[in-house]
Amino acid sequence: MQSHDILPGTGIPSAAPPRPGLSDAEAALVEHYPRLVRLAHLILPPALGRHRRVLAAHALVQKSLAAAGPARPRVPAPRGAREPVLAWLRQRVVSAALRAAARPRWSLRRAPLPAVLGLRVFPRAGGDDETALEAALAAVTPEVRAAFALRVLEGLADHAAAALLAGAGVPRPDEALRAAEHLRATVGADAESLLHGVEFDPCTVQARPTDLLRRRRRARVAALAATVLLAATTAAVLTPRPAPPAPAPPAGAVTAASARAADPALLLRTPAERWADTARVDLSAWPARGSRTGDTALLSRALGAWARGTGERTGVPVTVAPGTTAYPPMAPARLLFAGPVDGSAVVLLHDGGRLVRYAEPLTGGGGAELHLARADDADVTAGAAVAVSRTPRGARFLLAPWIDESAVRDLLRPGVPARRLNVSADGVTDPVPPAEGECRSAPALQVRSSTRIVEDHSFLLADLGELAPAHLTWTPAPGTGAPARQPREATSAEGLAAWARSACALPGLRGTGVRAVNRWEFARQALPEGAGLATWTCTRAERWDGRARVEVAWERPDARSRPTPVRAPGPPPPYTAACSRFGQHLLAGTYWTAPSGARYYLAAGSRALTAITARGPVSATVRGRVLAVRTHADGPVRLTGAVPGSGELRGWGEPERAPGGP
């Protein structure tokens, strides 16, 4: 009979698996290595960075053998008999990952291997769902991530996961499991398949070089230092004949891969009609367009400027969008466009993960410029247009080949029909006018996709200063007949009216690397004293790198009034699942003064809330999704809401209670 101990402070019985022999442990580790590394990677904090997080996960798993028993001269156990050994390894990996998450720098310095020199490795990029789940996991504690991984990834029962967490030093495993179940309920039935996706697989990675220019400079310095040391040592015993200095490597020396990438003859060119018969309707389906796609000299200058990068004095200023890597090309890119636009020769390239725009003046003064922006997973909407030129008249866009119709509309005037936008034979639009100061206008592109790709729908794109415009969507309020948490295209009369209220916030997102913005109307509330119907909104601006800017606001019934932001106790974290598919529960409150002069505290929650409680200067509890209390108080109010099956929901901006915390 196996003995069970009670883990101190938890009340949870522990049945720790016995320590296996080294041979059995090594055999089980080799067999289950990918799943153990995935488990460690999931628990480690994303703040480590993708490269260090991958290496740390491998190091922690490999180090788990250190506590195995001595090797015994016998054949390792068969696969079916290794479950106790796997349980022992799992316990070791979870414990080590939680310790590393608590003190990442100290813990990871003790595991110097594996090491990768000259390369940075990271998992392949997933889709929107994987990115949103990664943001949701980054917003919770390592203990909750461990509980989530054990329940979803490893499939452990509640009691087994609780015992393992307790054995790993988690003071309150039951709270970690409750938080993990809340996250699992939010993600839905896709949780397991998402965790098994490429975004969370540290064993299938992409590799990119480190800063080649900095590395070359360091190599030169090291070589010079070694030469000086050798010369000084030799001079003590010999008097050598003077030798001519070794020639320095050419300033523009590049690797063989970079040389291939800089060859215009090797550029990829997609057939003109490929987009109409492919399962990948994205930037890889764009054909090469423009009158100078055969201009080898222009293409060579563009590729050369990109290959030299940002570290040399090339005379070509380089703009790198937020979240975009600046490394030079390591393989031939895809040519999207080459031709004259607004007095410049423009070249557009795509390397699978980034867009590159090179522009040089056709005549007269001025210099060339290079712009790099992230563009991985650019689908039908995110890859529908690319900016090729910006002048005082506005921005011109190269439209995707699957765009049949294009127009310009003012978001502030939803009742005014969109104005047709002329497009050249090469797919370049007339200038889209810039927004006027003090929010007097908010121009946006309205485009419609072709029926040839079975995606016949129109959508809105807003120019936020990036190469790719941002996709605008909206989610209607509860009770409007819309399914729960389903963003819609904002081209309907209701969607346009909704964005007319939020359009003035778009200029504040310029230059921040935003790919999509969704306006979610999460609640409607009848104001006291018959003052009308207020709307509570959450606007989420998704960036290409997975981060998001989230703003919660409430809007008065007057259509001309602008949204009033709801103040939060502190700034929201950059990686947050709030107002996304994995953060669909929301509760917020604010003070409001009625036309009569009476002061009220208002609060509202999303459609799943069943009760709201206010504490602090205002104390009240109501059933339902809205609260209104007359008060003379002031100061921050602590809100909590009840969500069936998900536990307690805290008010917007209030920190979640960590497992083991007060």
Side-chain angles (χ1 to χ4, degrees), residues 15 33 64 80 168 272 327 353 356 492 537 619 659:
Y33 187 79
S64 64
Y327 58 80
V356 180
S492 64
T537 67
S619 180

Side-chain angles (χ1 to χ4, degrees), residues 101-140:
R103 301 179 64 185
R105 293 185 179 179
W106 181 83
S107 298
L108 298 181
R109 275 201 302 266
R110 303 179 65 191
L113 295 177
V116 177
L117 301 178
L119 289 174
R120 300 194 66 80
V121 296
F122 47 89
R124 302 183 66 86
D128 291 342
D129 291 343
E130 287 85 353
T131 301
L133 178 56
E134 174 73 7
L137 290 169
V140 300

Side-chain angles (χ1 to χ4, degrees), residues 9-185:
T10 66
I12 297 174
S14 170
R19 186 175 66 167
L22 183 59
S23 299
D24 288 341
E26 184 177 12
L29 186 141
V30 171
E31 179 183 348
H32 300 289
Y33 187 79
R35 69 186 285 186
L36 292 171
V37 175
R38 192 187 293 257
L39 176 63
H41 182 265
L42 197 62
I43 299 171
L44 288 169
L48 283 174
R50 295 189 295 174
H51 174 77
R52 289 190 65 206
R53 192 180 177 194
V54 167
L55 296 186
H58 285 270
L60 294 177
V61 172
Q62 292 175 18
K63 194 179 176 184
S64 64
L65 281 178
R72 291 187 284 270
R74 63 182 182 85
V75 178
R79 293 192 177 202
R82 293 181 194 158
E83 284 305 315
V85 184
L86 173 61
W88 181 86
L89 287 171
R90 186 191 294 123
Q91 176 88 53
R92 293 275 302 169
V93 168
V94 171
S95 300
L98 288 173
R99 287 195 301 270
R103 301 179 64 185
R105 293 185 179 179
W106 181 83
S107 298
L108 298 181
R109 275 201 302 266
R110 303 179 65 191
L113 295 177
V116 177
L117 301 178
L119 289 174
R120 300 194 66 80
V121 296
F122 47 89
R124 302 183 66 86
D128 291 342
D129 291 343
E130 287 85 353
T131 301
L133 178 56
E134 174 73 7
L137 290 169
V140 300
T141 63
E143 293 82 4
V144 176
R145 289 198 296 271
F148 185 77
L150 292 174
R151 292 285 288 122
V152 179
L153 195 62
E154 293 294 304
L156 297 187
D158 272 341
H159 66 279
L164 194 155
L165 291 171
V170 177
R172 297 184 181 177
D174 53 340
E175 292 189 6
L177 285 168
R178 281 198 296 270
E181 285 303 315
H182 169 65
L183 180 59
R184 185 179 190 175

Side-chain angles (χ1 to χ4, degrees), residues 17 44 64 67 71 118 139 165 214 224 263 306 354 390 418 424 453 509-510 534 596:
L44 288 169
S64 64
L165 291 171
R214 183 184 303 171
L224 179 60
D263 186 349
W306 184 15
R354 295 174 298 174
R390 281 193 175 87
S424 71
I453 61 171
L509 300 174
R510 289 186 67 85
S596 66

